DNA sequence: CAGTATCCATATGGATACTG
DNA sequence: CAGTATCCATATGGATACTG
């Protein structure tokens, strides 16, 4: 259910508060509309996110966590904290992967 | 780093103890050799798992967690616990996905 | 603002047969 | 026992243009 490049981040931001589509987009950053919508729809059909269309013009849509989604996001926190604490190691891994893409040589 | 269908499970089992290739294979179950090896290699090159080839005949290879890997596995625990506690909801989601594959209709 | 539509590359995982 | 090799289908994400 959290498989998807941006899903943990989406859950994290929804747990913090901002919940309009545009806010999420700005929060996650460098994610295309297509992928963000796609992942939100999956989260919605998985029952962790609730989508509320206010049917206004201009459009206003809220995304909020369901109780299940909230508990999932909370279970995800230690992993996020780990990511922050081990940012150096994680960054090294990501850098290595980039280097490998440029010129594989071992 | 934990993206990969079986990686969380692999880390979980390595945290519990069993560490020979065959033991992991039996533990994870229904994973093919190719995928298991592939994911173990990725975990190894990411610095979370250490591979020790005892160079014996018959072959004996140990996989153990590095300190980084151990901390990662521990950060993953709440998520595993969440999965167990919400097994019903998770199972429903998985069942729905199966049904959708068989005959998409909404 | 909050999306949809289309096309595309790559990543990911699976099946099967084989091996020192 | 602990892998390797090959072939293949699908999932996943990205780029770009468009819209009520």
């Amino acid at each position: 259910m959290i498989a998807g490049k941006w899903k943990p981040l989406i859950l994290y931001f929804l747990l913090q508060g901002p919940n309009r589509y545009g806010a999420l987009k700005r929060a996650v950053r460098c994610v295309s509309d297509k992928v963000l919508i796609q992942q939100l729809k999956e989260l919605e059909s998985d029952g962790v996110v609730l989508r509320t269309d206010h049917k206004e013009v201009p459009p206003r849509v809220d995304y909020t966590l369901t109780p299940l989604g909230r508990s999932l996001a909370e279970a995800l926190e230690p992993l996020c904290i780990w990511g922050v604490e081990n940012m150096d190691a994680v960054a090294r891994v990501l850098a290595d992967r980039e280097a490998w893409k440029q010129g594989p040589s071992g």
Side-chain angles (χ1 to χ4, degrees), chain A residues 6-77:
Chain A
W6 307 102
K7 287 188 190 174
L9 222 43
I10 293 172
L11 292 176
Y12 172 76
F13 284 119
L14 286 179
L15 194 60
Q16 307 303 307
N19 49 4
R20 287 194 58 181
Y21 177 83
L24 276 176
K25 194 179 153 123
R26 257 166 278 122
V28 178
R29 208 170 219 77
C30 77
V31 61
S32 68
D33 283 317
K34 193 206 92 171
V35 174
L36 182 52
I37 287 293
Q38 180 182 299
Q39 307 218 342
L40 282 168
K41 283 200 170 157
E42 286 174 21
L43 290 170
E44 190 192 353
S45 88
D46 284 355
V48 306
V49 156
L50 194 67
R51 179 182 183 278
T52 311
D53 187 340
H54 294 274
K55 308 211 176 264
E56 295 175 355
V57 177
R60 183 159 67 93
V61 177
D62 281 343
Y63 290 92
T64 50
L65 293 174
T66 62
L68 183 68
R70 176 165 288 273
S71 69
L72 175 54
E74 279 162 3
L76 223 37
E77 273 201 281

